[in-house]
PDB file of all heavy atoms in Angstrom:
ATOM      1  N   SER A 233      82.987  70.112 -47.197  1.00 47.00           N
ATOM      2  CA  SER A 233      83.953  68.996 -47.583  1.00 47.00           C
ATOM      3  C   SER A 233      83.364  67.823 -48.210  1.00 47.00           C
ATOM      4  O   SER A 233      83.959  67.046 -48.852  1.00 47.00           O
ATOM      5  CB  SER A 233      84.669  68.430 -46.252  1.00 47.00           C
ATOM      6  OG  SER A 233      83.628  68.116 -45.364  1.00 47.00           O
ATOM      7  N   THR A 234      81.983  67.838 -48.185  1.00 45.00           N
ATOM      8  CA  THR A 234      81.313  66.682 -48.851  1.00 45.00           C
ATOM      9  C   THR A 234      80.856  66.999 -50.245  1.00 45.00           C
ATOM     10  O   THR A 234      80.275  66.273 -51.011  1.00 45.00           O
ATOM     11  CB  THR A 234      79.843  66.353 -48.144  1.00 45.00           C
ATOM     12  OG1 THR A 234      79.182  67.581 -47.992  1.00 45.00           O
ATOM     13  CG2 THR A 234      80.258  65.906 -46.750  1.00 45.00           C
ATOM     14  N   ALA A 235      81.337  68.204 -50.770  1.00 44.00           N
ATOM     15  CA  ALA A 235      81.011  68.615 -52.192  1.00 44.00           C
ATOM     16  C   ALA A 235      81.821  67.816 -53.141  1.00 44.00           C
ATOM     17  O   ALA A 235      82.808  67.133 -52.794  1.00 44.00           O
ATOM     18  CB  ALA A 235      81.374  70.138 -52.290  1.00 44.00           C
ATOM     19  N   PRO A 236      81.476  67.838 -54.399  1.00 45.00           N
ATOM     20  CA  PRO A 236      82.176  67.072 -55.410  1.00 45.00           C
ATOM     21  C   PRO A 236      83.714  67.523 -55.341  1.00 45.00           C
ATOM     22  O   PRO A 236      83.996  68.669 -55.218  1.00 45.00           O
ATOM     23  CB  PRO A 236      81.549  67.454 -56.773  1.00 45.00           C
ATOM     24  CG  PRO A 236      80.173  67.808 -56.337  1.00 45.00           C
ATOM     25  CD  PRO A 236      80.252  68.464 -55.024  1.00 45.00           C
ATOM     26  N   ARG A 237      84.555  66.540 -55.561  1.00 46.00           N
ATOM     27  CA  ARG A 237      86.028  66.812 -55.451  1.00 46.00           C
ATOM     28  C   ARG A 237      86.557  67.919 -56.258  1.00 46.00           C
ATOM     29  O   ARG A 237      87.552  68.560 -56.034  1.00 46.00           O
ATOM     30  CB  ARG A 237      86.774  65.476 -55.651  1.00 46.00           C
ATOM     31  CG  ARG A 237      86.506  64.910 -56.981  1.00 46.00           C
ATOM     32  CD  ARG A 237      87.273  63.639 -57.185  1.00 46.00           C
ATOM     33  NE  ARG A 237      88.692  63.834 -57.226  1.00 46.00           N
ATOM     34  CZ  ARG A 237      89.501  63.276 -56.314  1.00 46.00           C
ATOM     35  NH1 ARG A 237      89.038  62.578 -55.373  1.00 46.00           N
ATOM     36  NH2 ARG A 237      90.847  63.512 -56.380  1.00 46.00           N
ATOM     37  N   THR A 238      85.881  68.066 -57.392  1.00 43.00           N
ATOM     38  CA  THR A 238      86.476  69.116 -58.386  1.00 43.00           C
ATOM     39  C   THR A 238      86.417  70.517 -57.815  1.00 43.00           C
ATOM     40  O   THR A 238      87.093  71.445 -58.244  1.00 43.00           O
ATOM     41  CB  THR A 238      85.652  69.125 -59.691  1.00 43.00           C
ATOM     42  OG1 THR A 238      84.190  69.186 -59.418  1.00 43.00           O
ATOM     43  CG2 THR A 238      85.921  67.841 -60.441  1.00 43.00           C
ATOM     44  N   VAL A 239      85.496  70.807 -56.850  1.00 44.00           N
ATOM     45  CA  VAL A 239      85.337  72.169 -56.220  1.00 44.00           C
ATOM     46  C   VAL A 239      86.621  72.498 -55.474  1.00 44.00           C
ATOM     47  O   VAL A 239      87.183  73.594 -55.768  1.00 44.00           O
ATOM     48  CB  VAL A 239      84.101  72.157 -55.315  1.00 44.00           C
ATOM     49  CG1 VAL A 239      84.037  73.582 -54.603  1.00 44.00           C
ATOM     50  CG2 VAL A 239      82.835  71.864 -56.124  1.00 44.00           C
ATOM     51  N   ASN A 240      87.081  71.621 -54.609  1.00 47.00           N
ATOM     52  CA  ASN A 240      88.286  72.016 -53.837  1.00 47.00           C
ATOM     53  C   ASN A 240      89.572  71.955 -54.650  1.00 47.00           C
ATOM     54  O   ASN A 240      90.480  72.691 -54.506  1.00 47.00           O
ATOM     55  CB  ASN A 240      88.432  71.004 -52.733  1.00 47.00           C
ATOM     56  CG  ASN A 240      87.413  71.432 -51.535  1.00 47.00           C
ATOM     57  OD1 ASN A 240      87.110  72.537 -51.409  1.00 47.00           O
ATOM     58  ND2 ASN A 240      86.930  70.452 -50.821  1.00 47.00           N
ATOM     59  N   GLN A 241      89.610  71.009 -55.695  1.00 48.00           N
ATOM     60  CA  GLN A 241      90.733  70.947 -56.532  1.00 48.00           C
ATOM     61  C   GLN A 241      90.945  72.178 -57.295  1.00 48.00           C
ATOM     62  O   GLN A 241      92.044  72.625 -57.558  1.00 48.00           O
ATOM     63  CB  GLN A 241      90.583  69.775 -57.530  1.00 48.00           C
ATOM     64  CG  GLN A 241      91.048  68.401 -56.784  1.00 48.00           C
ATOM     65  CD  GLN A 241      90.996  67.302 -57.897  1.00 48.00           C
ATOM     66  OE1 GLN A 241      90.247  67.358 -58.757  1.00 48.00           O
ATOM     67  NE2 GLN A 241      91.907  66.384 -57.632  1.00 48.00           N
ATOM     68  N   ASP A 242      89.863  72.865 -57.710  1.00 79.00           N
ATOM     69  CA  ASP A 242      89.923  74.160 -58.467  1.00 79.00           C
ATOM     70  C   ASP A 242      90.775  75.135 -57.743  1.00 79.00           C
ATOM     71  O   ASP A 242      91.432  75.979 -58.451  1.00 79.00           O
ATOM     72  CB  ASP A 242      88.502  74.601 -58.743  1.00 79.00           C
ATOM     73  CG  ASP A 242      87.774  73.894 -59.912  1.00 79.00           C
ATOM     74  OD1 ASP A 242      88.568  73.097 -60.549  1.00 79.00           O
ATOM     75  OD2 ASP A 242      86.612  73.975 -60.010  1.00 79.00           O
ATOM     76  N   VAL A 243      90.597  75.250 -56.444  1.00 87.00           N
ATOM     77  CA  VAL A 243      91.385  76.304 -55.791  1.00 87.00           C
ATOM     78  C   VAL A 243      92.944  76.072 -55.931  1.00 87.00           C
ATOM     79  O   VAL A 243      93.653  77.090 -56.329  1.00 87.00           O
ATOM     80  CB  VAL A 243      91.067  76.271 -54.176  1.00 87.00           C
ATOM     81  CG1 VAL A 243      91.868  77.326 -53.474  1.00 87.00           C
ATOM     82  CG2 VAL A 243      89.575  76.481 -54.012  1.00 87.00           C
ATOM     83  N   GLY A 244      93.417  74.793 -55.716  1.00 89.00           N
ATOM     84  CA  GLY A 244      94.842  74.546 -56.022  1.00 89.00           C
ATOM     85  C   GLY A 244      95.189  74.841 -57.400  1.00 89.00           C
ATOM     86  O   GLY A 244      96.324  75.371 -57.650  1.00 89.00           O
TER      87      GLY A 244
END
Side-chain angles (χ1 to χ4, degrees):
S233 58
T234 55
R237 57 182 295 117
T238 52
V239 174
N240 284 328
Q241 278 187 327
D242 282 345
V243 178

